[in-house]
Amino acid sequence: MKVPESHPRYNSLKLREKLIEGYKAGIVAEAGLIAHGRGEAFDYLLGEVTVPEAELAAKAAAKLLLGAENPVISVNGNVAALCPAEVVTLAKEASAKLEVNLFHRTDERVETIIGHLMNHGAQEVLGANPDARIPGLDHARALCSGGGIHSADVVLVPLEDGDRAHALRNMGKTTIVIDLNPLSRSAQSATVTIVDEVTRAIPKITGYVGRMKEGAPAHEFNNAKNLETIIDNIRTGAYSSV
Ligand code: ATP
């Protein structure tokens, strides 16, 4: 189906199309399609735009990535389907490693996603040969790379499951979560939470990384306060255009 650009839900429908294509290509898991729906509902409440609090968080995320010794971007099926080129660009700009890390892990899906990222310009993607584990998680969900997520000081985990986001924090890592739901366990457990749609958030972070490399200043950031403002604004309908 060709979605006309004049359609009021054009962007949202394009993202759905990308996910369905990703599902057919073996990149997206069935549960990933459902998880996207939860995100869409929250995006509606944000007015489907990057809210000012998400800008602040994206800036804070850029600062953390630039200050890290071993930053890693964790990529799952939905992220790979929605914005493969954008995550590759961010990894290059922030000198971060890319690692495929899946909740519904199969070796085949990991390989397919790695191939997809390579086709979008990635030079190296970790995740095919996990040799380490995240403590506190059951076997398949715990698997990760020793040179990647396991030894990272800063991990960007877009659209992460709450248990794993929490387990990474318990390992002492600084975590950056992108999640449209400010109430999710991932959002609540992160060092920096960017409450924004992932295809909007990733290029934002890249932009701030670039500007900070050229000397733009970073600002103080309080994640708990930022999340509280977002939740208040959603409750009062301050963001919503409907
Ligand atoms: P948690 O386990 O952290 O409490 P959850 O059970 O909702 O949350 P998942 O089912 O893994 O976690 O859902 C993924 C999360 O990603 C959801 O909170 C959803 O709001 C968010 N999400 C889905 N699609 C997007 C997207 N395109 N951009 C940003 N966030 C998204």
Side-chain angles (χ1 to χ4, degrees), residues 107-120:
D107 288 344
E108 197 187 347
R109 209 154 71 81
V110 172
E111 291 292 353
T112 306
I113 294 172
I114 290 176
H116 188 61
L117 293 172
M118 294 289 202
N119 287 340
H120 285 83

Side-chain angles (χ1 to χ4, degrees), residues 35-36 38-39 82 159 162 179-181 184-186 196-198:
H36 185 76
R38 172 133 61 196
L82 290 172
L159 324 189
D179 193 329
L180 281 159
N181 177 3
S184 77
R185 288 170 304 148
S186 312
D196 200 6
E197 206 286 316
V198 70

Side-chain angles (χ1 to χ4, degrees), residues 103 134 136-137 141 160-168 185-186:
F103 187 86
I134 303 167
L137 297 176
R141 287 174 202 172
E160 185 54 282
D161 152 71
D163 281 351
R164 288 203 310 193
H166 212 254
L168 291 171
R185 288 170 304 148
S186 312

Side-chain angles (χ1 to χ4, degrees), residues 61-71 94 153-154:
K63 181 181 168 193
L64 288 177
L65 287 170
L66 283 177
E69 279 193 9
N70 185 17
D153 50 349
V154 176

